[in-house]
Protein backbone atom coordinates (compact mmCIF):
# COMPACT_ATOMS: atom_id res chain seq x y z
CA UNK A 1 0.00 0.00 0.00
CA UNK A 2 1.23 3.46 -0.91
CA UNK A 3 2.39 5.39 2.15
CA UNK A 4 0.28 8.48 2.89
CA UNK A 5 1.79 11.86 2.12
CA UNK A 6 2.60 12.80 5.78
CA UNK A 7 4.61 9.58 6.06
CA UNK A 8 6.45 10.29 2.80
CA UNK A 9 7.16 13.82 4.01
CA UNK A 10 8.64 12.32 7.20
CA UNK A 11 10.92 10.08 5.12
CA UNK A 12 11.87 13.03 2.90
CA UNK A 13 12.83 14.98 6.04
CA UNK A 14 15.11 12.11 7.04
CA UNK A 15 16.70 12.10 3.59
CA UNK A 16 17.17 15.87 3.79
CA UNK A 17 18.81 15.57 7.21
CA UNK A 18 21.23 13.02 5.74
CA UNK A 19 21.93 15.42 2.86
CA UNK A 20 22.97 17.99 5.46
CA UNK A 21 25.38 15.45 6.98
CA UNK A 22 23.13 14.63 9.95
CA UNK A 23 23.21 10.88 10.61
CA UNK A 24 20.11 11.34 12.77
CA UNK A 25 18.13 11.38 9.55
CA UNK A 26 18.15 7.57 9.73
CA UNK A 27 15.71 7.83 12.63
CA UNK A 28 13.04 9.06 10.19
CA UNK A 29 12.98 5.78 8.25
CA UNK A 30 10.94 2.65 8.88
CA UNK A 31 13.66 0.00 8.74
CA UNK A 32 11.33 -2.96 9.19
CA UNK A 33 10.60 -5.47 6.45
CA UNK A 34 7.32 -3.65 5.77
CA UNK A 35 9.22 -0.36 5.63
CA UNK A 36 11.65 -1.96 3.18
CA UNK A 37 8.89 -2.78 0.72
CA UNK A 38 7.15 0.57 1.23
CA UNK A 39 10.39 2.43 0.49
CA UNK A 40 10.13 1.35 -3.14
CA UNK A 41 7.20 3.76 -3.46
CA UNK A 42 9.90 6.43 -3.67
CA UNK A 43 10.25 5.30 -7.30
CA UNK A 44 6.70 6.52 -7.90
CA UNK A 45 7.46 9.97 -6.48
CA UNK A 46 10.73 10.31 -8.37
CA UNK A 47 9.37 9.16 -11.74
CA UNK A 48 7.97 12.50 -13.03
CA UNK A 49 11.25 14.32 -12.37
CA UNK A 50 13.19 11.42 -13.90
CA UNK A 51 11.02 11.70 -17.01
CA UNK A 52 11.95 15.39 -17.27
CA UNK A 53 15.66 14.55 -17.01
CA UNK A 54 15.33 11.86 -19.66
CA UNK A 55 13.39 14.13 -22.01
CA UNK A 56 16.03 16.82 -21.63
CA UNK A 57 18.85 14.33 -22.20
CA UNK A 58 17.29 12.99 -25.39
CA UNK A 59 16.50 16.49 -26.66
CA UNK A 60 20.08 17.66 -26.07
CA UNK A 61 21.46 14.54 -27.77
CA UNK A 62 19.12 15.16 -30.72
CA UNK A 63 17.99 11.53 -30.64
CA UNK A 64 15.13 10.68 -32.94
CA UNK A 65 14.44 7.10 -31.95
CA UNK A 66 10.71 7.45 -31.58
CA UNK A 67 8.61 7.90 -28.50
CA UNK A 68 7.92 4.20 -27.91
CA UNK A 69 11.60 3.27 -28.13
CA UNK A 70 12.52 5.98 -25.64
CA UNK A 71 9.74 5.03 -23.22
CA UNK A 72 10.59 1.31 -23.32
CA UNK A 73 14.38 1.79 -23.21
CA UNK A 74 14.37 4.41 -20.47
CA UNK A 75 11.63 2.55 -18.62
CA UNK A 76 13.86 -0.52 -18.43
CA UNK A 77 16.79 1.61 -17.27
CA UNK A 78 14.56 3.12 -14.58
CA UNK A 79 13.23 -0.19 -13.30
CA UNK A 80 16.66 -1.81 -13.31
CA UNK A 81 18.03 1.23 -11.50
CA UNK A 82 15.66 0.43 -8.64
CA UNK A 83 16.60 -3.25 -8.63
CA UNK A 84 20.39 -3.26 -9.01
CA UNK A 85 21.31 -2.05 -5.51
CA UNK A 86 18.83 -4.25 -3.62
CA UNK A 87 20.18 -7.34 -5.41
CA UNK A 88 23.82 -6.25 -5.31
CA UNK A 89 23.58 -5.35 -1.62
CA UNK A 90 22.52 -8.90 -0.76
CA UNK A 91 25.94 -10.10 -1.87
CA UNK A 92 27.96 -7.11 -0.68
CA UNK A 93 26.47 -7.06 2.81
CA UNK A 94 27.31 -10.77 3.13
CA UNK A 95 30.83 -10.21 1.81
CA UNK A 96 31.48 -7.40 4.30
CA UNK A 97 29.61 -9.08 7.16
CA UNK A 98 27.00 -6.33 7.26
CA UNK A 99 23.87 -8.41 6.64
CA UNK A 100 21.97 -6.87 9.56
CA UNK A 101 22.27 -3.47 7.85
CA UNK A 102 20.80 -4.61 4.52
CA UNK A 103 17.25 -3.34 5.16
CA UNK A 104 18.32 0.06 6.56
CA UNK A 105 20.65 0.52 3.57
CA UNK A 106 17.96 -0.06 0.98
CA UNK A 107 15.32 1.92 2.86
CA UNK A 108 17.67 4.89 3.26
CA UNK A 109 18.90 4.82 -0.34
CA UNK A 110 15.37 4.52 -1.69
CA UNK A 111 14.07 7.51 0.25
CA UNK A 112 17.30 9.42 -0.42
CA UNK A 113 16.36 9.31 -4.09
CA UNK A 114 13.86 12.10 -3.32
CA UNK A 115 16.77 14.41 -2.49
CA UNK A 116 18.95 13.05 -5.30
CA UNK A 117 16.41 13.89 -7.97
CA UNK A 118 16.09 17.38 -6.53
CA UNK A 119 19.85 17.85 -6.80
CA UNK A 120 19.72 16.79 -10.45
CA UNK A 121 16.79 19.07 -11.25
CA UNK A 122 18.74 22.20 -10.29
CA UNK A 123 21.11 22.09 -13.30
CA UNK A 124 18.19 21.09 -15.52
CA UNK A 125 16.27 24.21 -14.46
CA UNK A 126 19.34 26.45 -14.74
CA UNK A 127 20.22 24.90 -18.10
CA UNK A 128 17.43 26.89 -19.70
CA UNK A 129 19.30 30.08 -18.86
CA UNK A 130 22.89 28.92 -19.42
CA UNK A 131 25.08 27.94 -22.32
CA UNK A 132 24.91 24.19 -23.05
CA UNK A 133 28.51 23.64 -21.98
CA UNK A 134 27.92 25.34 -18.62
CA UNK A 135 24.68 23.40 -18.12
CA UNK A 136 26.57 20.17 -18.83
CA UNK A 137 29.24 21.13 -16.28
CA UNK A 138 26.57 21.83 -13.66
CA UNK A 139 24.96 18.46 -14.35
CA UNK A 140 28.35 16.77 -13.94
CA UNK A 141 28.86 18.57 -10.61
CA UNK A 142 25.35 17.64 -9.48
CA UNK A 143 25.99 14.01 -10.41
CA UNK A 144 29.16 14.09 -8.34
CA UNK A 145 27.22 15.57 -5.43
CA UNK A 146 24.69 12.73 -5.73
CA UNK A 147 27.49 10.15 -5.53
CA UNK A 148 28.94 11.82 -2.44
CA UNK A 149 25.47 11.94 -0.87
CA UNK A 150 24.73 8.29 -1.66
CA UNK A 151 28.09 7.28 -0.19
CA UNK A 152 27.32 9.17 3.02
CA UNK A 153 23.87 7.56 3.21
CA UNK A 154 25.42 4.12 2.69
CA UNK A 155 28.07 4.78 5.36
CA UNK A 156 25.46 5.82 7.91
CA UNK A 157 22.96 3.06 7.03
CA UNK A 158 25.64 0.36 7.04
CA UNK A 159 27.36 1.81 10.12
CA UNK A 160 30.70 1.26 8.42
CA UNK A 161 33.69 3.09 7.01
CA UNK A 162 33.56 5.50 4.11
CA UNK A 163 35.68 3.11 2.05
CA UNK A 164 33.26 0.22 2.47
CA UNK A 165 30.29 2.47 1.72
CA UNK A 166 32.05 3.84 -1.36
CA UNK A 167 32.62 0.30 -2.62
CA UNK A 168 28.85 -0.33 -2.51
CA UNK A 169 28.10 2.85 -4.46
CA UNK A 170 30.97 2.27 -6.92
CA UNK A 171 29.79 -1.28 -7.61
CA UNK A 172 26.25 -0.04 -8.23
CA UNK A 173 27.55 2.69 -10.53
CA UNK A 174 29.65 0.28 -12.59
CA UNK A 175 26.79 -2.18 -12.99
CA UNK A 176 24.32 0.58 -13.91
CA UNK A 177 26.74 2.03 -16.46
CA UNK A 178 27.09 -1.42 -18.07
CA UNK A 179 23.33 -2.05 -18.05
CA UNK A 180 22.52 1.43 -19.34
CA UNK A 181 25.18 1.17 -22.04
CA UNK A 182 23.79 -2.16 -23.18
CA UNK A 183 20.18 -0.92 -23.19
CA UNK A 184 21.14 2.27 -25.02
CA UNK A 185 22.90 0.12 -27.61
CA UNK A 186 19.73 -1.91 -28.08
CA UNK A 187 17.24 0.99 -28.13
CA UNK A 188 19.11 4.08 -29.25
CA UNK A 189 21.86 3.09 -31.71
Amino acid sequence: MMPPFPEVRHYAEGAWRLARGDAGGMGHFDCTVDGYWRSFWAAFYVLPAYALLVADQHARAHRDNGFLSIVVGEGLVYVLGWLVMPVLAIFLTRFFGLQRHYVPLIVALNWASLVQIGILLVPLALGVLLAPSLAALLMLLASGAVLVYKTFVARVALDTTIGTAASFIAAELVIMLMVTGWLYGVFFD
Side-chain angles (χ1 to χ4, degrees), residues 47-125:
L47 183 58
Y50 176 80
L52 283 174
L53 289 169
V54 166
D56 180 68
Q57 174 188 353
H58 284 274
R60 289 183 190 275
H62 304 292
R63 289 194 184 104
D64 189 21
N65 298 91
F67 181 75
L68 183 60
S69 182
I70 291 172
V71 168
V72 171
E74 292 291 352
L76 287 170
V77 168
Y78 189 72
V79 168
L80 290 172
W82 283 90
L83 297 176
V84 164
M85 182 54 96
V87 172
L88 178 63
I90 291 169
F91 302 103
L92 290 177
T93 55
R94 286 182 185 161
F95 178 79
F96 287 105
L98 298 168
Q99 299 93 316
R100 72 180 198 275
H101 298 289
Y102 172 79
V103 170
L105 172 69
I106 302 306
V107 168
L109 287 174
N110 282 352
W111 290 118
S113 67
L114 299 173
V115 171
Q116 293 169 38
I117 200 72
I119 292 169
L120 295 173
L121 285 176
V122 170
L124 177 68

Side-chain angles (χ1 to χ4, degrees), residues 81 84-85 88 150 167-177:
V84 164
M85 182 54 96
L88 178 63
K150 286 180 74 167
S167 67
F168 277 70
I169 302 307
E172 178 195 29
L173 178 63
V174 167
I175 290 171
M176 278 310 298
L177 286 172

